[in-house]
Amino acid sequence: MKKLAIAAAIATTMSGGAHATDLNPGGEWQIRWDNTLKYSAGARVESANPLLTTGAAKVNNDDGDRNFSTGLISSRYDILSEFDAQKDGFGIRLSAAAWYDSVYNQNTSNSSTATTNNVSVGANRFAPETARIAGRNAEMLDWFVFGKSQIGDTTLSYRLGQHSLIWGTTLFFGMNGIAKGMAPIDLYKLSIPGTQAKETTIPVPQLSSTLQLTNDTSIEGYVQFKYRPTRLHPAGSYLSSTDMLGDGAESIWAGPLKLRNAGLAKGDLPNNVGFALNTRSELLDADLGFYAIRYNDTSTQVVTQAATRTYYLAVPNGVKSFGASISRLVGIANIGLEASIRDGQALNAKQGTVVLPVGQTAAWLNDHTPYPTGRTAHLNLSTTIVSGAAAGWDGLSVVGELSANHINSVQDNPEKVDTALNKTAWGGRIVVTPTWYQVLSGLDVSVPLNVGWAFKGRSVIDTAFPFSGSPDHGGEIAVGITGTYLTKYIANLTFINYRGKATSQPLLDRDYVRFSVQTSF
């Protein structure tokens, strides 16, 4: 929970207090109903760069760029509603979100009918699924019951229903850690100003439990009953960099052919399962965690079939991951280190090599693996520092993480591995937030500086590592200002600048300014 709290502070770059509505004050039941209302907007500040939109190599990566001229890229209203009721350790939690973005309910600026990946609508319109996910939707997030029971000297707690669960010490690069196999991420909401961390993991129907053996040692476990993929930026949305993946993806250009999206090829997926042991070492003065999970990958693989002019999004299944973590205080810094290895991890393939044989259907994928897989290693090193007043500010927080991955060996289809990509890749992110309290009566102000950088990108393990598009020697810089009035009303203005080379940074021409204002009651 501490990790989620820290991530919430980073995602929102603000720290508004909770304003729960207590529906049973003084009663035996603790019943709360919280609501957060938010308006956000964004504006593009420079035109599309022809180096990023023209040429055969860009035909499957240009819709998000072409769809937006300079000016408004989002004008969005959000509501997050949360209901909690509990008594004596037993209870229920419900939460839901809804939003409307007027920009995604209008036509686009795209006039390139020769390169659009849309099929159901013209180039100057968002695909229906893109318009739904980015423009107007409502969905349940959490719905689960929970409880706890005393068994001798131990306590067994459990949750049953749709909820999120994340293990490890990772702060920013969950896709590179043990968390990758536990909870799909809503990458699109990560880009919405003011989004809280609890909205960015997609809850999954599951049973999870913790057996508290002693004050310092516990065993955890879970089994998940439904597969959900990572939610990418919908195809053609402003920050999307792949037109054939994500909600709203309708086709992929394969040379002169336009192959239609035939959807997920899941087959008979086994349930995701995992176990963890958490304990504390007095010798090391540190918290330790050990993890073992088996999962169906939340990232899908593109499998094409030119004969039927279709492509599928295959779900790699049965990936195994084993990891360990350690966290401890070093001075005023909390240091977390997480290391893990994977068996059966899907790898990036050479273009055009992952195909469904002529005459076969998606069922063929149940028993065959047409993409390369391998054994990989992953490392995340993070820190959180919170300090008090100094000469330049009233409070300061620094949160950062370095992340790296490496391919140890190839298991399936070694001839298909894209050898132009890096066997080892690494990057990092740091967020520095000085804060000044009571600048005016009731008003606190902070100025978060957020820098993410891929020191060596183009990972053969994950095209989204360390950031979308794997920008090699590139990244992003975001600087903003946040005002919090009476710990209830929060406003933020941020400028985002993408850095790197046009050859490897797909978002290089998509600098933008974003604004948000929100309140909770």
Side-chain angles (χ1 to χ4, degrees):
M1 293 304 294
K2 182 172 71 173
K3 177 175 63 179
L4 288 178
I6 294 171
I10 303 310
T12 62
T13 63
M14 54 190 72
S15 56
H19 294 272
T21 300
D22 189 345
L23 299 181
N24 188 31
E28 293 184 346
W29 281 84
Q30 295 175 296
I31 305 175
R32 305 193 321 172
W33 186 25
D34 303 338
N35 290 279
T36 300
L37 296 176
K38 179 176 62 186
Y39 172 75
S40 62
R44 183 173 188 162
V45 298
E46 62 177 317
S47 301
N49 184 337
L51 293 176
L52 295 168
T53 58
T54 57
K58 304 297 183 183
V59 70
N60 288 312
N61 309 98
D62 63 333
D63 284 356
D65 214 348
R66 293 179 183 273
N67 284 346
F68 297 87
S69 304
T70 55
L72 206 60
I73 59 168
S74 176
S75 178
R76 174 173 167 130
Y77 299 86
D78 280 84
I79 182 171
L80 171 65
S81 189
E82 303 164 89
F83 176 83
D84 298 270
Q86 64 172 313
K87 177 186 176 185
D88 300 329
F90 295 86
I92 186 173
R93 174 175 168 78
L94 305 170
S95 67
W99 58 90
Y100 179 85
D101 192 327
S102 61
V103 171
Y104 287 92
N105 288 279
Q106 302 172 5
N107 288 345
T108 74
S109 300
N110 194 344
S111 60
S112 182
T113 56
T115 64
T116 180
N117 289 72
N118 288 349
V119 174
S120 64
V121 295
N124 68 337
R125 296 180 60 188
F126 292 105
E129 275 301 286
T130 299
R132 184 178 71 87
I133 295 299
R136 52 182 185 276
N137 198 23
E139 61 186 11
M140 285 296 298
L141 298 175
D142 293 326
W143 50 265
F144 64 88
V145 295
F146 59 89
K148 63 180 180 181
S149 302
Q150 198 68 26
I151 305 175
D153 294 331
T154 65
T155 301
L156 179 68
S157 58
Y158 37 83
R159 293 179 175 183
L160 177 61
Q162 183 164 288
H163 61 282
S164 296
L165 188 67
I166 295 177
W167 293 339
T169 59
T170 298
L171 298 178
F172 297 111
F173 300 98
M175 300 285 280
N176 194 55
I178 203 79
K180 168 70 181 294
M182 304 180 66
I185 305 297
D186 191 334
L187 294 176
Y188 184 63
K189 278 194 176 177
L190 278 173
S191 67
I192 304 300
T195 295
Q196 302 179 57
K198 54 192 171 188
E199 297 180 79
T200 61
T201 55
I202 300 174
V204 178
Q206 59 184 313
L207 170 64
S208 65
S209 182
T210 300
L211 181 63
Q212 194 72 39
L213 299 173
T214 69
N215 288 336
D216 294 330
T217 302
S218 65
I219 298 173
E220 296 182 65
Y222 69 86
V223 56
Q224 298 180 344
F225 308 119
K226 186 174 183 178
Y227 171 79
R228 286 210 166 98
T230 294
R231 177 176 285 171
L232 305 173
H233 292 275
S237 60
Y238 182 62
L239 294 179
S240 69
S241 58
T242 54
D243 304 335
M244 66 285 196
L245 297 175
D247 295 293
E250 296 191 332
S251 75
I252 182 174
W253 288 100
L257 301 179
K258 194 174 188 179
L259 312 182
R260 294 196 179 206
N261 185 352
L264 283 175
K266 295 189 294 185
D268 299 323
L269 296 179
N271 291 330
N272 290 349
V273 296
F275 302 94
L277 170 65
N278 300 295
T279 189
R280 177 162 182 80
S281 168
E282 296 301 331
L283 177 64
L284 299 174
D285 189 22
D287 296 322
L288 306 176
F290 303 92
Y291 317 100
I293 66 174
R294 185 197 67 191
Y295 63 96
N296 306 307
D297 203 335
T298 55
S299 301
T300 56
Q301 297 291 309
V302 174
V303 183
T304 62
Q305 189 175 54
T308 58
R309 298 201 172 188
T310 57
Y311 75 99
Y312 295 87
L313 299 173
V315 180
N317 60 69
V319 183
K320 302 178 183 65
S321 181
F322 306 92
S325 67
I326 180 171
S327 64
R328 60 162 296 174
L329 278 174
V330 179
I332 63 170
N334 185 73
I335 305 295
L337 175 64
E338 179 186 327
S340 60
I341 56 174
R342 298 177 188 169
D343 182 276
Q345 166 68 47
L347 306 174
N348 292 315
K350 297 174 185 174
Q351 188 174 3
T353 61
V354 182
V355 299
L356 187 66
V358 175
Q360 299 292 346
T361 67
W364 179 86
L365 296 169
N366 292 338
D367 302 315
H368 301 82
T369 303
Y371 45 83
T373 68
R375 298 182 178 89
T376 58
H378 307 259
L379 189 69
N380 292 333
L381 175 64
S382 61
T383 186
T384 303
I385 302 172
V386 179
S387 71
W393 47 75
D394 297 331
L396 178 72
S397 68
V398 179
V399 184
E401 185 167 27
L402 291 172
S403 183
N405 59 42
H406 175 76
I407 178 173
N408 295 327
S409 63
V410 180
Q411 293 171 287
D412 297 317
N413 303 308
E415 74 282 1
K416 296 183 179 181
V417 175
D418 189 345
T419 53
L421 301 178
N422 300 129
K423 289 185 176 180
T424 302
W426 65 295
R429 181 175 293 281
I430 185 170
V431 181
V432 181
T433 308
T435 299
W436 296 266
Y437 300 112
Q438 296 298 303
V439 174
L440 296 174
S441 179
L443 178 65
D444 301 334
V445 173
S446 60
V447 181
L449 172 65
N450 185 330
V451 179
W453 196 258
F455 298 99
K456 189 175 183 181
R458 307 189 70 207
S459 170
V460 72
I461 299 171
D462 185 356
T463 54
F465 180 83
F467 316 111
S468 178
S470 291
D472 191 33
H473 294 87
E476 64 191 48
I477 301 171
V479 59
I481 182 169
T482 299
T484 304
Y485 182 65
L486 300 177
T487 68
K488 182 176 178 64
Y489 302 98
I490 305 169
N492 172 264
L493 180 68
T494 298
F495 173 66
I496 297 92
N497 172 234
Y498 293 97
R499 312 293 297 178
K501 298 171 290 187
T503 53
S504 60
Q505 171 52 290
L507 302 179
L508 188 61
D509 60 353
R510 277 179 255 187
D511 293 354
Y512 68 109
V513 177
R514 68 189 186 192
F515 166 78
S516 69
V517 59
Q518 71 181 65
T519 187
S520 299
F521 56 90

